[in-house]
Structures are given as structure tokens and as C-alpha cells.
């Protein structure tokens, strides 16, 4: 497996990748989009920070790419929907640099409040301007946090330590959670704007948060408010911020991120009230070691062991969860693959029934594996774990998942039903022991077969001689039958046989089998 590191990454991560058996790593930084496009096709994985832009156009050329690893948090430089459509897992390291970013936010707030960068520049220029740099205290001031997730939460904790009062706006956080953090949650952003002495943003940059703080917002704020942005450029409208500072509404701004980066000739740099750093939020030795090491582990684990951590476009499957559900992923994929290869109608609905306590949680990956199995016989390698759901939606296939406590005769059971054009097929599967997959029922036939390998499904009338005839025909063609299982609805009624073969059947042999007496159909299945 080949992995490209296309942005500067701490040695801790490079070393891990270099020493991973089965991984070959190339470090090529500073590539232009066209240079990246030219080489990306060779790679199974790519590790980036914020400089590499993975647009739809670049991803189009990434024919082998399975995983994008972002050493850091923000993914605004990756076209995630395009990656998902192509079946590429996108993962980041949400915990690695959050303390660094929160500490930077607090540092920027205090530096702004006490005008430390301006005073440093003045003193170094040979001046002693004690009266010029009058600051404000943060003690008992109100800090308004917009977005109280990982970093916002740590900022709140540190600000409470400074004896600030913290209010927050975040529509996705419960009041209970906010209370636990010692924070007052406000239900309208305007409330936060009108009450806060300092305002800091910690949301992702998305459609809803672009220009979240603009001219209208500044008008609602207290006179002399101070603003901090250590999240993403674009959440605060820079033009409106400039005007609000010049008008005296905003007393100071501390910015680590900008609408255009690298930021050069930004008009805000001309204002004395503005202090800036060049996107340094995550720039601590600890954070860079953390994110590099974490993303290396995650990419290696995904490419070599299928475990998924911190993915943003597919459910997580940690090593512990994989240990537990791994065999069910294979079972589900093969149940899907089985039905897809025997079904003769267009699938409109998929029902997946999970029986047993084991399925109380973590069933989402099993659903994806089932859909992958169902779609792969038609779509081949274009469908995978990541895009299976999108592909099913695009084909207007309704997917329903139900959980049932009762397991009947089995400890666990997965029942897969597909429906379409007034027809239905179903298959039941379980594990014997902890790892041995078995089909235990196909439509109305009770059977016990391993869902793996070259199989033929024979439907026949339950009459003497049928199996003997099949064996003789295959024997004459030199095809060995490895195992055979039978099921029938009633004596003399209809029956099925599942035969595992040592070689696949061609059309000629299938047609010959179909001339045998009492045979209804012969369907080859490869799992
Ligand atoms: P997170 O996902 O843990 O938290 C984001 C929070 O924003 C969530 O709680 C979410 O509910 C909330 N949110 C989303 N939309 C919102 C809206 N419209 N209004 C209010 N709240 C909203 O993310 P995080 O790890 O805390 O990262 C926050 C930001 O910091 C991201 O933009 C990330 O890219 C950036 N970041 C910057 C640096 C840096 O170097 N300056 C370092 C790390 C992270
Ligand atoms: C992040 O999103 O992790 C930060 O902005 C830091 C970085 O870009 O590396």
C-alpha cells in the first residue's frame, strides 16, 4: 500500500508510517494541484494538513485512493461529498490539537486585552510608552463562545479559571451538557452578541457559519467588545470587522485565521487594535506530535486492518468494535452478495433485521457491509463501505433496519430481505461459535451452508436421482463438488441444494445441468 504525505508532518508520524510493514511512504510537499493530480493515482492513502487542497478535480484522478488522513481538525480543504462518492474514507484527528488551539485562544484574548504585542513592538522600537497601552481586565467579564465543541469547551474551562463568566451559543449542545461545563447556554445568538464583552468563535467553517459575524451582528454587540477568531477565516466577515473597528464599535480583534491564507496585505493588518498570528493555533510541539502520530496510526490501521477511527464520512470501527463485529461484516456482505446474485428483479427495498443483544449498538457498519454486498455484483469495485449508502440512495433503494431481541434457535441472527416488483427474497445468516458464518435459511428453505467461495444454488423438485445426476454431470466435466447442502419445503415438494465447487461453472455446463430432469433453475454465486 502506498501513502503520500503531501504537507509538512512531524517526524513522529513519518517514522510510524516508514516502519509499518506493508506500507510504502513518500513525502512530497509543496505540490501544485496539477502536480498532485498527476501522481495521486499511485496512492492508496494520502496524509495532509491544511495546505493540500483535495478538490473534486484532484480526487477524480485518485483511482486507488482509499483514505484521506488530515493531521488536524479542519477539513475545509477536502471535498468530502466528492470523496464519499468515490468511496474514500476521510478521517481527521479531532483530539490532537484542541488543547493547543484553546490555549492559543486564551493567549490571544489576554494579549489583546493587555495590548502585549503592541507594547512589545513599541518597547523594541526604543520607546517607553507606559500611558499608551492601557488594558482591560478579563476578571468577571462575560466571554461569549460561539460553538462549544471540543475547543470551545476547553476555552470555557480555562476562562472559568480566569473567573470570567461564560455564555455560549451552540444549537447542537444540550443545556445539561452546558451546565456540566459551567456555561450558560443562550438560545439566540443575538443574546450572546448583546451581552458579551469578549466573543470567540469555535465552529467549523460551513455554509451556515460563513459570515456568521457580520455588519448586522456587530451592530448588536456592546460598544468596546473584543473579538477572537482562532477557528477559521470566513466565519467573521473581515470587511465588516474592519469597519466596526474603525467606527470604534469593536475595541480589538485577535485573529489567527483569515479569509485568504497565507494572509498578506490584509487591510486589518493596518489597524493598531488588531493582533494577529499566522494560523498558529495548533503550532505546539505537543500538538504536532499528537496529530502526526494519531493520523499515522489511523491510516495504517485502516489500510492494513480495516479499522476506522475519527472518520467523518463513515461510522467509526475501532479495533475493539472490529474484533466484535468483524465476522458479522463479512457475513452481512456475503448475505447481500448472495441475494444480489440470485435475485431477478430490480431491488426497491432492503430490510435488515438484527436479532440478539449483540446488535444493540454498532450495527451501522453491518448495514453498510450488507449494502456493499448487495450492490457489488452490479457495480463492482465502484461501491465500497464508504459510498454504499449514497449509492443505494442514488438508486432509490429504501433501506430499513430493525432490531429484535428474540433470536429463536440462534444466539444472533441477521435476516436480510429484498423486495421489488411485488417479489421478495430473503436469507438468514448467523455465526457458529464466534467466527464461522452460516446461511441458515433461504426463502422458505432451512439449510446450513457456508456463504463463501464458488457456489451453485439449484432449485429442483424433490425427486430421487436429482443430486446424483448433477454429480455425474459435473464429474464428467472434471468439476469437483466440495460440499453439498439440501433443504426442502416438504417431502416430494420443492427443494434447493447449495453446492460448493472447486471451480466456477461456465454457461455451457449450466445449460447442460438445466436439461436434467426435475431441475427448475441453476444459479452460480461467487462470494
Ligand atoms: P467541534 O466539532 O468539536 O466543535 C464545533 C462546534 O460548533 C460543535 O459543537 C457544533 O455544534 C458547533 N456549531 C456548528 N455549527 C454551529 C452554528 N451555526 N452556530 C453555533 N455553533 C455551531 O470542533 P473543534 O474541534 O472544537 O474545532 C473548532 C474549529 O477550530 C474548527 O473550525 C477547526 O477547524 C478550528 N481549529 C483551528 C485551529 C487553528 O490552528 N487555529 C486548530 C484546531 C482547530
Ligand atoms: C486544524 O484545523 O487542525 C488547524 O487549523 C491546524 C492546522 O491547520 O493544521
Amino acid at each position: 500500500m502506498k501513502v503520500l504525505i503531501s504537507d509538512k508532518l512531524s517526524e513522529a508520524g513519518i517514522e510510524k508510517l516508514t516502519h509499518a510493514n506493508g506500507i510504502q511512504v513518500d513525502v512530497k510537499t509543496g505540490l501544485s494541484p496539477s502536480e498532485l493530480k498527476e501522481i495521486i493515482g499511485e496512492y492508496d492513502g494520502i496524509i495532509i494538513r491544511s495546505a493540500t487542497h483535495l478538490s473534486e478535480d484532484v480526487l477524480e484522478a485518485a483511482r486507488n485512493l482509499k483514505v484521506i488522513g488530515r493531521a488536524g481538525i479542519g477539513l475545509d480543504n477536502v471535498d468530502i461529498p466528492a470523496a464519499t462518492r468515490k468511496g474514500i474514507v476521510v478521517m481527521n484527528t479531532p483530539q490532537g490539537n484542541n488543547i493547543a488551539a484553546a490555549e492559543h485562544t486564551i493567549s490571544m484574548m489576554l494579549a489583546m486585552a493587555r495590548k502585549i504585542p503592541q507594547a512589545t513592538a513599541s518597547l523594541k522600537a526604543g520607546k517607553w510608552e507606559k500611558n499608551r497601552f492601557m488594558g482591560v481586565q478579563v476578571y468577571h467579564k462575560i466571554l461569549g463562545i460561539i460553538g462549544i465543541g471540543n475547543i470551545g469547551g476547553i476555552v470555557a474551562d480555562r476562562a472559568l479559571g480566569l473567573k470570567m463568566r461564560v455564555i455560549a451559543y451552540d444549537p447542537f449542545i444540550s443545556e445539561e451538557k452546558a451546565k456540566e461545563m459551567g456555561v450558560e447556554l443562550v438560545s439566540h445568538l443575538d443574546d450572546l452578541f448583546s451581552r458579551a464583552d469578549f466573543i470567540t468563535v469555535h465552529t467549523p467553517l460551513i455554509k451556515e457559519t460563513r459570515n456568521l459575524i457580520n455588519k448586522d451582528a456587530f451592530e448588536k454587540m456592546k460598544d468596546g467588545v473584543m473579538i477572537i477568531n482562532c477557528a477559521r477565516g470566513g466565519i467573521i466577515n473581515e470587511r465588516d470587522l474592519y469597519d466596526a473597528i474603525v467606527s470604534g464599535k469593536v475595541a480589538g480583534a485577535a485573529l489567527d485565521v483569515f479569509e485568504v491564507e497565507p494572509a498578506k496585505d490584509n487591510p486589518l493588518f493596518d489597524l493598531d487594535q488588531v493582533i494577529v498570528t499566522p494560523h498558529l493555533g495548533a503550532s505546539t510541539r505537543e500538538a504536532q506530535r499528537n496529530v502526526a502520530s494519531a493520523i499515522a496510526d489511523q491510516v495504517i490501521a485502516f489500510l492494513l486492518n480495516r479499522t476506522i477511527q475519527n472518520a467523518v464520512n463513515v461510522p467509526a470501527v475501532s479495533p475493539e468494535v472490529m474484533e466484535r463485529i468483524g465476522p458479522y461484516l463479512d457475513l452481512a456482505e456475503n448475505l447481500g452478495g448472495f441475494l444480489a446474485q440470485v435475485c431477478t428483479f430490480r431491488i426497491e427495498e432492503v430490510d435488515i433485521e438484527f436479532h440478539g443483544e449483540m446488535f444493540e449498538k454498532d450495527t451501522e457498519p453491518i448495514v453498510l457491509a450488507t449494502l456493499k454486498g448487495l450492490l457489488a455484483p452490479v457495480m463492482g469495485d465502484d461501491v465500497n463501505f464508504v459510498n454504499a449508502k449514497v449509492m443505494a440512495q442514488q438508486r432509490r433503494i429504501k433501506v430499513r433496519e430493525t432490531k429484535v431481541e428474540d433470536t429463536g434457535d440462534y444466539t444472533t441472527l441477521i435476516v436480510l430481505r429484498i423486495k421489488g416488483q411485488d417479489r421478495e427474497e430473503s436469507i438468514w445468516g448467523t455465526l457458529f461459535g464466534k467466527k464461522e458464518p452460516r446461511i441458515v435459511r433461504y426463502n422458505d428453505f432451512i439449510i446450513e451452508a457456508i456463504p463463501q467461495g464458488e457456489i451453485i444454488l439449484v432449485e429442483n423438485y424433490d425427486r430421487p436421482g436429482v443430486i446424483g445426476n448433477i454429480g455425474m454431470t459435473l464429474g464428467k466435466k472434471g468439476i469437483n463438488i466440495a460440499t453439498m447442502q439440501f433443504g426442502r419445503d416438504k417431502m416430494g415438494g420443492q427443494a434447493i441444494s447449495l453446492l460448493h465447487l472447486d471451480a466456477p461453472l461456465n454457461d455451457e455446463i449450466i445449460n447442460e445441468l438445466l436439461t436434467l430432469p426435475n431441475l427448475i433453475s441453476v444459479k452460480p454465486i461467487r462470494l
Side-chain angles (χ1 to χ4, degrees), residues 302-508:
F302 176 72
L303 288 176
L304 302 183
N305 304 323
R306 292 195 302 171
T307 59
I308 300 180
Q309 291 165 69
N310 300 325
V312 296
N313 60 346
V314 43
V317 188
S318 66
E320 300 74 49
V321 173
M322 182 53 92
E323 171 81 23
R324 205 157 39 83
I325 69 166
Y328 287 101
L329 294 181
D330 294 335
L331 171 69
E333 185 171 342
N334 284 337
L335 294 180
F338 186 104
L339 281 195
Q341 292 174 71
V342 298
C343 128
T344 51
F345 52 84
R346 201 181 77 72
I347 303 172
E348 289 161 8
E349 282 177 44
V350 175
D351 281 344
I352 309 165
E353 241 174 60
F354 292 103
H355 296 247
E357 243 176 64
M358 141 92 203
F359 296 124
E360 260 172 23
K361 52 186 182 154
D362 301 322
T363 47
E364 179 67 5
I366 308 178
V367 170
L368 294 175
T370 313
L371 294 176
K372 173 174 182 274
L374 271 170
L375 296 171
V378 187
M379 302 183 55
D381 289 344
D382 285 351
V383 63
N384 70 11
F385 206 62
V386 182
N387 62 13
K389 214 167 206 172
V390 179
M391 296 288 183
Q393 275 161 3
Q394 282 174 350
R395 276 155 192 74
R396 305 260 186 284
I397 298 174
K398 278 193 210 136
V399 181
R400 209 178 54 196
E401 175 190 350
T402 1
K403 293 185 184 175
V404 185
E405 261 179 39
D406 176 33
T407 53
D409 294 338
Y410 306 97
T411 321
T412 58
L413 187 67
I414 298 176
V415 178
L416 172 64
R417 289 193 184 83
I418 54 173
K419 299 176 191 165
Q421 300 167 324
D422 295 326
R423 283 186 286 165
E424 178 174 329
E425 293 264 1
S426 66
I427 191 161
W428 301 26
T430 187
L431 293 185
F432 283 4
K434 282 194 173 146
K435 292 210 159 83
E436 294 301 317
R438 289 291 185 279
I439 296 170
V440 289
R441 183 166 170 162
Y442 167 63
N443 291 336
D444 294 330
F445 302 101
I446 311 286
I447 196 155
E448 193 192 302
I450 300 172
Q452 277 162 3
E454 292 291 345
I455 301 174
I456 53 170
L457 169 67
V458 176
E459 289 177 284
N460 57 282
Y461 297 107
D462 184 31
R463 308 276 190 276
V466 174
I467 297 302
N469 286 339
I470 295 173
M472 278 206 334
T473 309
L474 294 180
K476 269 193 268 160
K477 301 286 179 191
I479 292 178
N480 190 42
I481 300 173
T483 64
M484 247 187 197
Q485 293 82 25
F486 313 102
R488 62 181 179 185
D489 54 4
K490 60 177 191 292
M491 201 194 290
Q494 271 199 19
I496 60 162
S497 316
L498 276 173
L499 288 74
H500 283 84
L501 308 178
D502 285 346
L505 293 191
N506 59 29
D507 287 350
E508 188 198 322

Side-chain angles (χ1 to χ4, degrees), residues 73-74 97 147 149-151 170-172 202-204 230-232 256 279 281-282:
I73 298 172
N97 62 21
N150 274 320
I151 296 169
D170 188 325
F172 308 103
H202 296 285
T203 67
C230 291
R232 277 293 176 270
D256 183 46
H279 204 143

Side-chain angles (χ1 to χ4, degrees), residues 67-203:
V67 58
I68 296 169
R70 160 71 154 110
I73 298 172
L75 280 160
D76 30 294
N77 51 332
V78 178
D79 187 333
I80 297 171
T84 307
R85 282 194 298 277
K86 282 191 67 81
I88 301 166
V89 176
V90 181
M91 44 176 72
N92 64 358
T93 55
Q95 307 298 336
N97 62 21
N98 50 14
I99 291 179
E103 286 184 357
H104 197 68
T105 306
I106 297 289
S107 311
M108 291 291 267
M109 178 178 70
L110 292 173
M112 168 173 57
R114 300 306 295 270
K115 302 194 164 86
I116 290 171
Q118 296 91 331
T120 305
S122 152
L123 189 52
K124 285 188 170 177
K127 298 177 202 160
W128 187 262
E129 301 179 289
K130 256 181 91 71
N131 294 334
R132 188 174 151 210
F133 300 113
M134 184 63 66
V136 290
Q137 284 182 181
V138 299
Y139 176 73
H140 277 191
K141 295 279 163 49
I142 298 182
L143 173 64
I145 302 182
I146 304 177
I148 191 147
N150 274 320
I151 296 169
I154 302 172
V155 168
D157 175 65
R158 304 311 190 253
L160 289 168
L162 291 169
K163 310 292 178 216
M164 296 184 83
R165 286 165 57 201
V166 181
I167 61 175
Y169 173 76
D170 188 325
F172 308 103
I173 292 282
S174 68
E175 248 176 73
E176 211 182 352
K177 174 89 186 147
K179 218 178 245 167
E180 260 172 42
M181 295 193 228
V183 167
E184 179 192 334
L185 199 64
V186 297
S187 38
H188 296 287
L189 201 44
D190 287 358
D191 262 8
L192 183 145
F193 289 149
S194 63
R195 289 172 57 196
D197 302 297
F198 293 82
I199 295 177
T200 181
V201 289
H202 296 285
T203 67

